[in-house]
């Protein structure tokens, strides 16, 4: 791991001492079952990965999938609605799984019915639609729908169904339920003739891991506790989806009326399958409107005649159930019991890890005594009855200011640690713990923040948090790796040490140690290796977007174009490094293949999507998903360059024979396919088996090279200037956001100064200028007069070309990848995050205005760059010559 000596307060809590000091016995592991062997045998795919999002989705063991596949290969499972032998096998197996589910929750078919659904959300929707709501009228005040504010979005969404029936929905705060006085159940009277009410609450908060009392079920149903004072009979829905993944639930004791669950939270597989467990005493109250295949005992097509089946499960399972997934549940139960010995063991093991991590996190302090994290909780993690294996927190700086969760997430990715960030589909708990008012939520929406995005701070206030959660296969090593990560990024000064690659070395992997210097891919003699790709996902110039270049009338005749490919140098001729007298282009880079190495030029034609052939191709996996350096850092070792005269792209890499790819597709042979870049669907075509085999050999897994179809246009909105219409659009290649990315050498120099002064030896230049420039994967490099002045630019003129500045480039963890070796180092990202309070920005996006198609257009090294500042930028500190540059050339 990167980082120097830990500062005081950064020591890792000793696990043995933690266990010894615990006031109550804590259990780690599963007795004689070796947790280390379990991980190696069942979860070998986790090697080098710390997975801490089990509350989002836990992981399936290898044996579960192996046994399930074997089952499918050896048996024929037919549609259970038929009467043949294979259908009978399916029906009997499904019924056996129903019994297995009920036994898992310590109940039986006499007390509960299992209704299979598409997940817990579908189960909640079923209850909302089928509950016997009573609308208010002259003789009744009507039903009430009450839900704990610490509830999943899917619970809160039930109120839209009740609203259609004029039923009032009331949010209930956890504090109100905790403080509610118990009443004499006998004094509640006979509620059978009263309108039915429904109270919903989670057994475990998916935000903080708080476990709410299961005793509320009987207390509310019996009338001892009232969510609100209103006459009627109360029913209880217990949202157990988050709870049952790591804890047993005894429905023979805690007899909720309705219990929705999702099986992937328990087993990891299958996904898209859940169930509603219905108390048989409450089942007759449910009302059905729609009826689908398999639910009818009889009906008429030409008359309004329908008789439902008697079985509650058959009545509510519309259509053919997902019977093969249900078969998979049997193998899930088998694996879970075989590997852990039961859910009580899982509960104790996961709680021990959570309590240890909570104690260690709470103890971390900066040298000034300030805490490193703020944990959102309702308990001191005293027992698994009150707290699940979930920790929700935000990282603080040494002044107590919150570090945005998006930055923490990106840093965690560098260490191959998988966490969850945001509000986790639980706005109520997020508001309560973070102090976000209703007005602030609306204000955040107006500011552009929506659920699930990476807008982590608005006006310095957090919009969400970081969440880690443990599963039954989680280990002490996982917890300690996470704690060391927090220590490394907050309490250990960066010293430029590279992070180890997360995956084992494969064919084509970059060498390590003394070999790293030779890891630079071979390049054409006339072109030096240069910067590489992109910016952050969803905001940068580096993801998956289709590049269709229409160069007709825009690129010069081929001989002339080829002649412009002069040998590039790190410095532009006549522009000495560090000369801040005027702004000129010092370097130009084209990135033909998204996320691969740069192709440096001194003069290059423009197409209608940016620099000609910039990010026109991308590498995809066997599923057609774009690969970036975030998933595959070795992409930077692939060096493409363009030969305009021969109309080919040559691709090469160390240890591989160079291969040629035509610049344009053969319309008769091109295989058109669809791909996705930053939520945009793009039409592409496969560049053939030869380059596919070449890439697959290099990466050691199936890959393809695809190119945006020349007849497909991907449009992007851009801001409009004073003299432009509001809806002007521009066409994009396979970039993330904009046609061009520009960075300022003065900004790079400032970053280099900050990084190199972090070296305690003070001798070695840890980050050469060229290395830093390459990490930001920009197209245009200028020598600005001041660091980060480009963030105040509104427009830019380069010769006769005019560009709009769309805004800053929000950076992701790709800037931590050394573009010459593929190794990761978190220092660059960490230093930028320290400089900026909100987003890690570096460089600005440009979009050219309408090009003059009557003559070729070029960008050239040495061309003068004239910016126009934003209207609200202070000019007092500018020189007269700088003020003059507001005038567009």
């Amino acid at each position: 791991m990167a980082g120097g000596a830990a500062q005081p307060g950064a020591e890792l809590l000793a696990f043995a001492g933690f266990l010894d000091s615990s006031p109550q016995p804590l259990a780690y592991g599963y007795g004689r079952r070796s947790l280390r062997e379990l991980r190696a045998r069942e979860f070998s795919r986790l090697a080098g990965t710390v997975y801490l999002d089990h509350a989002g989705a836990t992981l399936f063991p290898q044996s579960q999938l192996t046994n399930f596949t074997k089952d499918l290969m050896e048996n024929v499972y037919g549609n259970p609605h038929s009467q043949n032998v294979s259908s009978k096998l399916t029906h009997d197996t499904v019924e056996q799984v129903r019994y297995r589910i009920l036994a898992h929750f310590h109940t039986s078919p006499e007390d509960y019915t299992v209704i299979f659904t598409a997940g817990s959300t579908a189960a909640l929707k079923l209850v909302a639609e089928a509950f016997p709501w009573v609308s208010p009228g002259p003789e009744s005040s009507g039903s009430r729908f009450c839900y704990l504010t610490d509830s999943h979005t899917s619970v809160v969404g039930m109120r839209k169904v009740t609203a259609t029936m004029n039923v009032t929905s009331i949010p209930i705060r956890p504090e109100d339920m905790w403080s509610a006085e118990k009443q004499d159940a006998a004094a509640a009277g006979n509620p059978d003739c009263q309108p039915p009410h429904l109270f919903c609450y989670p057994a475990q908060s998916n935000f903080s891991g708080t476990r709410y009392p299961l005793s509320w079920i009987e207390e509310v149903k019996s009338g001892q506790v009232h969510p609100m004072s209103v006459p009627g009979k109360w029913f209880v829905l217990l949202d157990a989806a988050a709870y049952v993944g790591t804890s047993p639930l005894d429905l023979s004791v805690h007899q909720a009326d309705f219990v929705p669950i999702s099986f992937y939270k328990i087993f990891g597989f299958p996904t898209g399958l859940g169930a509603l467990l219905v108390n048989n005493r409450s089942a007759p109250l449910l009302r059905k409107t729609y009826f689908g295949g398999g639910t009818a005992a009889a009906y008429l097509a030409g008359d309004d005649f329908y008789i439902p089946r008697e079985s509650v499960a058959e009545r509510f399972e519309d259509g053919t159930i997902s019977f093969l997934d249900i078969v998979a549940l049997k193998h899930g139960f088998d694996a879970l019991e075989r590997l852990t010995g039961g859910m009580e063991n899982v509960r104790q093991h996961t709680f021990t890890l959570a309590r240890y991590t909570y104690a260690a996190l709470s103890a971390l302090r900066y040298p000034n005594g300030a805490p490193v994290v703020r944990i959102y909780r309702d308990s001191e993690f005293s027992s698994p009855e009150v707290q699940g294996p979930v920790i929700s927190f935000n990282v603080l700086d040494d002044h107590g200011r919150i570090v945005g969760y998006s930055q923490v997430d990106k840093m965690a990715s560098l260490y191959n640690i998988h966490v969850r960030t945001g509000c986790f589909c639980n706005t109520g708990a997020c508001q309560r713990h973070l102090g976000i008012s209703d007005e602030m939520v609306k204000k955040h929406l107006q500011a552009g923040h929506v659920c699930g995005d990476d807008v982590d701070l608005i006006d310095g206030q957090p919009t969400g948090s970081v969440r880690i959660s443990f599963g039954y296969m989680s280990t002490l090593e996982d917890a300690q790796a996470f704690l060391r990560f927090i220590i490394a990024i907050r309490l250990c000064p960066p010293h430029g040490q590279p992070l180890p690659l997360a995956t084992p070395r494969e064919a084509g992997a970059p060498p390590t140690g003394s070999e790293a210097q030779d890891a630079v891919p071979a390049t054409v003699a006339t072109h030096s290796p240069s910067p590489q790709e992109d910016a952050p996902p969803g905001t940068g110039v580096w993801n998956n977007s289709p590049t269709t270049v229409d160069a007709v009338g825009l690129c010069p005749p081929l001989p002339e174009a080829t002649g412009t490919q002069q040998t590039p140098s790190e410095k532009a001729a006549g522009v000495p490094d560090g000369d801040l007298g005027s702004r000129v282009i010092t370097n130009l880079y084209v990135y033909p293949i998204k996320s691969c190495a740069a192709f440096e030029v001194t003069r290059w034609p423009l197409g209608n999507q940016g620099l000609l052939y910039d990010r026109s191709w991308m590498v995809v996996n066997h599923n057609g998903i774009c690969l970036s350096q975030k998933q595959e850092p070795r992409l930077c070792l692939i060096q493409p360059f363009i030969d305009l005269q021969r109309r080919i792209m040559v691709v090469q890499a160390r240890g591989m024979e160079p291969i040629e790819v035509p610049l344009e597709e053969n319309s008769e042979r091109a295989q058109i396919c669809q791909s996705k870049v930053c939520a945009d669907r793009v039409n592409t075509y496969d560049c053939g088996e030869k380059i596919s085999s070449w890439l697959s050999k290099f990466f050691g897994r199936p890959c393809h090279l695809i190119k945006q179809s020349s007849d497909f246009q991907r449009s992007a909105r851009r801001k409009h200037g004073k003299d432009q219409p509001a809806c002007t659009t521009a066409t994009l290649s396979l970039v993330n956001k904009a046609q061009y990315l520009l960075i300022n050498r003065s900004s790079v120099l400032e970053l280099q100064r900050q990084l190199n002064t972090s070296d305690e030896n003070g001798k070695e230049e840890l980050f050469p200028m060229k290395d830093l420039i390459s990490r930001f994967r920009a197209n245009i490099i200028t020598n600005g007069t001041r660091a980060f002045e480009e963030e105040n630019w509104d427009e830019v003129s380069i010769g006769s070309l005019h560009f709009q500045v769309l805004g800053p480039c929000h950076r992701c963890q790709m800037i931590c990848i050394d573009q010459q070796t593929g190794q990761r180092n978190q220092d660059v990202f960490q230093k930028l995050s320290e400089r900026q309070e909100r987003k890690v920005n570096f460089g600005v996006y440009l979009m050219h205005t309408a090009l003059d198609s009557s003559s070729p257009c070029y960008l050239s090294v040495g061309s003068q760059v004239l910016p126009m500042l934003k209207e609200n930028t202070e000019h007092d500190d500018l020189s007269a010559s700088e003020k003059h540059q507001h005038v567009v050339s």
Side-chain angles (χ1 to χ4, degrees), residues 572-755:
V575 184
D577 194 16
D579 179 8
L580 304 181
S582 62
R583 302 178 184 89
V584 298
I585 296 178
T586 63
N587 303 81
L588 279 175
Y589 297 108
V590 181
Y591 304 84
I593 305 177
K594 189 176 183 65
S595 261
C596 290
F599 170 51
E600 185 172 4
V601 296
T602 55
R603 187 168 182 256
W604 196 252
L606 274 59
N608 63 351
Q609 297 173 325
L611 290 171
L612 193 61
Y613 296 114
D614 183 60
R615 295 171 174 93
S616 290
W617 292 263
M618 64 183 179
V619 180
V620 297
N621 66 10
H622 63 290
N623 290 324
I625 307 302
C626 175
L627 295 180
S628 76
Q629 290 183 28
K630 288 189 293 183
Q631 301 90 23
E632 183 50 83
R634 290 174 294 167
L635 281 164
C636 69
L637 304 181
I638 294 179
Q639 174 72 60
F641 74 91
I642 303 291
D643 188 329
L644 290 177
Q645 185 173 20
R646 296 175 58 202
R647 308 295 294 172
I648 61 169
M649 175 176 64
V650 179
V651 184
Q652 57 189 26
R654 183 172 177 265
M656 304 287 292
E657 289 293 325
I659 187 171
E660 297 180 357
V661 177
L663 292 185
E664 306 298 340
E665 73 266 34
N666 183 327
S667 58
E668 296 180 358
R669 298 174 56 188
Q671 180 180 353
I672 302 299
C673 53
Q674 280 198 337
S675 191
K676 201 171 187 180
V677 174
C678 292
D680 291 342
R681 280 286 172 188
V682 294
N683 286 348
T684 61
Y685 68 89
D686 195 302
C687 294
E689 285 300 320
K690 287 185 178 180
I691 184 64
S692 173
S693 299
W694 191 94
L695 291 168
S696 300
K697 179 181 179 181
F698 180 79
F699 291 116
R701 55 172 167 160
C703 295
H704 295 268
L705 183 70
I706 62 176
K707 183 178 186 290
Q708 182 178 343
S709 301
S710 58
D711 59 353
F712 178 82
Q713 284 199 343
R714 174 182 170 219
S715 298
R717 287 188 175 273
R718 62 185 179 190
K719 68 175 184 178
H720 57 92
K722 301 174 184 176
D723 302 323
Q724 294 176 309
C727 293
T728 50
T729 59
T731 57
L732 298 178
S733 63
L734 298 175
V735 296
N736 276 8
K737 188 172 182 180
Q739 295 171 335
Y740 307 88
L741 178 60
L742 176 148
I743 64 173
N744 174 5
R745 274 181 173 265
S746 297
S747 304
V748 181
L749 282 168
E750 174 62 20
L751 177 61
Q752 181 190 44
R753 182 190 64 79
Q754 296 175 8
L755 287 166

Side-chain angles (χ1 to χ4, degrees), residues 583 864-869 875 878-889:
R583 302 178 184 89
Q864 190 171 15
V865 177
L866 298 176
M868 177 179 289
L869 299 184
H875 298 176
L878 301 182
S879 65
S881 61
E882 287 176 304
K883 291 178 181 178
H884 177 71
Q885 290 180 0
H886 288 270
V887 181
V888 176
S889 172

